[in-house]
Amino acid sequence: MKYAFPDNFWWGSASSALQTEGAREGETTWDYWFAREPNRFHNGVGPQQTSTFYQHWKTDIQLLKQLNHNSFRTSISWARLIPDGIGEVNPDAVDFYNQVIDELNEQGITPFMTLFHFDMPMAMQEIGGWENRDVVEAYARYALLCFELFGDRVLHWFTFNEPIVPVEGGYLYDFHYPNVVDFRRAATVAYHTVLAHAKAVQAYRAGHYAGEIGIVLNLTPSYPRSQNPADLKAAHVTDLMFNRSFLDPVLRGEYPADLVALLKSYDQLPACKPEDGFLIAEGKIDLLGINYYQPRRVKCRDSAVNPQAPFMPEWFFDSYEMPGRKMNPYRGWEIYEPGIYDILVNLRDNYGNPRCFISENGMGVENEQRFIENGQINDRYRIEFISEHLAWLHKGISEGCNCLGYHMWTFIDNWSWCNAYKNRYGFIQLDLETQKRTIKKSGEWFAATALNNSFEKE
Ligand code: BGP
C-alpha cells in the first residue's frame, strides 16, 4: 500500500545544542555534574564529546539537505548565549546561531528552534534553578532576546523540550542534576516551568513576530492493564501527572481541576500567586510538538504505600508489564506504534484538534557496527520502526487529525545524557574518534520518503 502525506508535510529530524555542539562556553548543570560524578555517565563520556556541530555545522547542513529535510529542529544554548544566564550576551554565540539559521534557510530547510532542552546554565541552578522565580524572569529575558535576535528568520519556536523530564530526572527519580527526591519541589519546578513558558509566549505575542510559538511535550499514553475500575483509576492519575500536567496548561490555559485537588489533598501543591492564573491562560500555544517513544502501561498497586517513604507518583499505580509487549531491549522501552495514533485522536477529540507534529520518534540501538554491510549500517529495524509509526500517523491524518509533520530523533548519532553514546539513534553514523559521518540505510530510506512525500509498505 502507498502511504502519501499532505502537501508541505514537514520531513526532518531533531537535535539539541548540548547534545551536538561541543566547544562548550557557558557552564551548564551537565558540565558541572559530569566534572563531579563522571561515573553517572555511560563509559565516563561527558557533554564535551559531541558530534562537533559547532565546527561542522556547514557540512552537517549539507547532509541534512542530502537527507531531503525540509525542516530541522535544534535548540539554542542559553548558557552559550548568556553564560551567566542573566547578564552579558556572548557575541560569538550570536554569530554562530545567525550563521546556522541563515544557512538552513538558504538551503531550503526551515529552522525550528527550541529555547530550553534540559541545559540549565549552572549560574541559574546555583540560585535554585526552576525553584526560583528569578530564574523564570531570567528565562523570559533570554527568550525575548532570542526573538529579537533571530525572530525575523526563525518562524517556529518552542519554549521547552519535554519540560517534565528535568522534573522527573532532577527532583523525583535521580537521573538529572540536582538529584533531589522531593515531590513538592518537583511540583514547584514543573509549575515555574509553565510560568516561564507562558511568559515567553506572552513576549512573543507582544512583539508581533511573524511566526508561531509552541512547546514540545513527550506524551506517553497511559494504558490500564484492564477495565477494572482500580486499573482505570491508576491510568487516570498517571495521565494527569505525566501528560496533562503540561498538556492542559499549554492547550487549555489551565490545570486539570482533579490534578490540583489530588496534590492539594496530599499537601504537595507549589506556592501560587493570584496573578499566575492569568499568565498561564496567556500561555496557550500555536503549535504542539509531540515526542513519542513509548506508552505507559499501569495497574493499580498491589501493596500498601509505605507512609515513611517519600511521596511519589507511584503511590497511585504500579507499572504493568503486558505479556507479549514488543521491546527495544537497548533502551528498555516498549515499542507500540498505535500509541502515536491514540495521541493524535486524543488531541483531536479532547483538545480541539490543535496544529501539531511529531517532533521526535526514534529507536536507540547499541553496537550498530555489527550491522555494517559494504561499509554502511543496514538498520532495517529502524526503517521498520519509522514506517510502522508513519502508517499509524497516516491513519490519524486520514481521520482528520491536524498533524503537520514528522521529525525523527535524530540526525547524526549524538550524546544522549547519562547514556552518552551507548544507544545510537541517528540517520547518520558517527565515528567518535575521527568524527567521520556515514549515512545509514535508514537515512537513505528517509531521504526517498521525504522526496516522494510518500512510501510503500505491505
Ligand atoms: C528525548 C530527548 C532527547 C533524546 C531522546 C532519546 O527524551 O528529547 O534529548 O536524548 O529522548 O532518549 P535517550 O537519549 O535518553 O536515549
Side-chain angles (χ1 to χ4, degrees):
M1 168 173 171
K2 182 173 175 179
Y3 293 87
F5 289 82
D7 290 347
N8 306 317
F9 195 70
W10 294 323
W11 294 104
S13 59
S15 71
S16 83
L18 191 88
Q19 293 176 273
T20 59
E21 287 176 0
R24 296 246 26 93
E25 294 174 278
E27 199 188 20
T28 69
T29 48
W30 293 94
D31 304 298
Y32 178 89
W33 191 29
F34 177 69
R36 274 146 196 87
E37 292 188 69
N39 51 303
R40 291 276 199 154
F41 296 78
H42 184 72
N43 287 346
V45 174
Q48 286 289 347
Q49 272 174 278
T50 66
S51 40
T52 57
F53 187 67
Y54 195 76
Q55 282 87 33
H56 295 118
W57 57 272
K58 199 157 188 169
T59 45
D60 281 354
I61 293 173
Q62 282 307 317
L63 284 170
L64 286 173
K65 184 108 188 117
Q66 220 174 311
L67 296 185
N68 290 326
H69 280 38
N70 60 20
S71 44
F72 173 63
R73 180 169 69 99
T74 187
S75 68
I76 292 174
S77 163
W78 182 1
R80 187 187 292 285
L81 194 65
I82 311 173
D84 69 0
I86 188 67
E88 295 279 294
V89 174
N90 167 10
D92 292 344
V94 177
D95 283 351
F96 170 64
Y97 291 116
N98 269 331
Q99 286 175 324
V100 169
I101 291 163
D102 289 347
E103 181 70 12
L104 284 167
N105 278 322
E106 241 159 68
Q107 298 299 329
I109 302 166
T110 304
F112 287 27
M113 276 295 176
T114 311
L115 291 169
F116 188 94
H117 194 127
F118 308 168
D119 48 354
M120 178 66 89
M122 193 56 211
M124 295 284 95
Q125 189 63 41
E126 273 163 3
I127 60 167
W130 294 118
E131 288 184 85
N132 183 347
R133 282 186 186 236
D134 291 347
V135 173
V136 173
E137 294 304 328
Y139 169 88
R141 172 181 177 265
Y142 153 66
L144 178 61
L145 184 79
C146 290
F147 303 149
E148 284 170 349
L149 286 169
F150 314 117
D152 54 337
R153 288 152 296 141
V154 173
L155 302 182
H156 306 276
W157 289 97
F158 302 91
T159 56
F160 284 87
N161 176 79
E162 301 190 351
I164 202 160
V165 170
V167 176
E168 294 175 342
Y171 295 86
L172 288 175
Y173 302 125
D174 187 30
F175 61 88
H176 280 200
Y177 190 79
N179 314 97
V180 168
V181 177
D182 185 321
F183 191 98
R184 197 161 189 274
R185 291 176 65 184
T188 303
V189 166
Y191 185 62
H192 288 170
T193 306
V194 167
L195 297 181
H197 156 84
K199 277 196 177 265
V201 172
Q202 210 179 36
Y204 195 73
R205 306 255 182 263
H208 300 287
Y209 297 95
E212 58 184 344
I213 187 159
I215 193 167
V216 170
L217 299 181
N218 50 318
L219 298 179
T220 43
S222 293
Y223 297 108
R225 168 182 58 180
S226 74
Q227 293 302 304
N228 184 293
D231 287 344
L232 292 177
K233 192 168 170 216
H236 178 67
V237 174
T238 51
D239 190 36
L240 283 178
M241 290 213 185
F242 296 108
N243 295 317
R244 297 186 55 195
S245 52
F246 283 93
L247 192 58
D248 282 39
V250 303
L251 286 179
R252 294 185 172 148
E254 60 185 16
Y255 280 96
D258 42 356
L259 176 61
V260 177
L262 180 73
L263 297 197
K264 196 167 180 201
S265 67
Y266 286 88
D267 194 24
Q268 298 291 336
L269 276 183
C272 306
K273 293 188 178 174
E275 63 273 22
D276 292 348
F278 299 105
L279 177 62
I280 293 169
E282 293 202 355
K284 284 203 244 172
I285 55 172
D286 306 316
L287 174 65
L288 176 68
I290 302 161
N291 291 358
Y292 175 65
Y293 288 91
Q294 56 170 339
R296 183 187 296 276
R297 298 193 189 275
V298 295
K299 59 183 182 179
C300 69
R301 285 186 60 98
D302 290 331
S303 59
V305 162
N306 169 7
Q308 306 306 319
F311 179 79
M312 280 286 180
E314 285 70 11
W315 281 28
F316 305 96
F317 68 92
D318 274 343
S319 291
Y320 169 57
E321 287 188 14
M322 184 181 76
R325 69 192 177 143
K326 179 160 70 173
M327 289 296 290
N328 170 357
Y330 315 103
R331 192 58 179 87
W333 286 347
E334 182 182 342
I335 299 175
Y336 183 65
E337 301 86 350
I340 215 164
Y341 168 81
D342 291 342
I343 291 171
L344 294 176
V345 167
N346 177 40
L347 291 171
R348 184 193 66 195
D349 294 349
N350 299 312
Y351 291 88
N353 209 14
R355 284 164 61 77
C356 64
F357 76 113
I358 302 302
S359 40
E360 285 181 30
N361 179 222
M363 188 182 182
V365 172
E366 212 167 337
N367 185 17
E368 284 195 306
Q369 282 93 323
R370 71 199 132 125
F371 302 113
I372 293 181
E373 289 170 14
N374 307 317
Q376 182 188 41
I377 291 176
N378 188 353
D379 50 348
R380 288 191 197 88
Y381 44 87
R382 186 168 286 112
I383 296 172
E384 191 182 307
F385 179 99
I386 304 173
S387 57
E388 287 183 4
H389 281 87
L390 277 174
W392 282 97
L393 176 63
H394 184 272
K395 177 171 158 64
I397 294 174
S398 69
E399 294 172 15
C401 299
N402 205 358
C403 182
L404 308 170
Y406 178 84
H407 281 186
M408 186 71 175
W409 186 268
T410 184
F411 165 41
I412 298 176
D413 291 338
N414 65 24
W415 184 80
S416 263
W417 317 110
C418 293
N419 276 328
Y421 287 92
K422 176 177 171 288
N423 304 313
R424 304 297 183 105
Y425 284 86
F427 281 136
I428 295 176
Q429 176 195 1
L430 174 75
D431 182 324
L432 242 192
E433 295 306 312
T434 62
Q435 288 291 319
K436 185 168 178 255
R437 284 107 157 101
T438 314
I439 298 181
K440 301 178 194 174
K441 265 273 180 291
S442 62
E444 290 175 355
W445 183 90
F446 189 81
T449 301
L451 183 71
N452 300 329
N453 204 24
S454 67
F455 69 96
E456 302 264 354
K457 192 171 115 54
E458 276 160 31

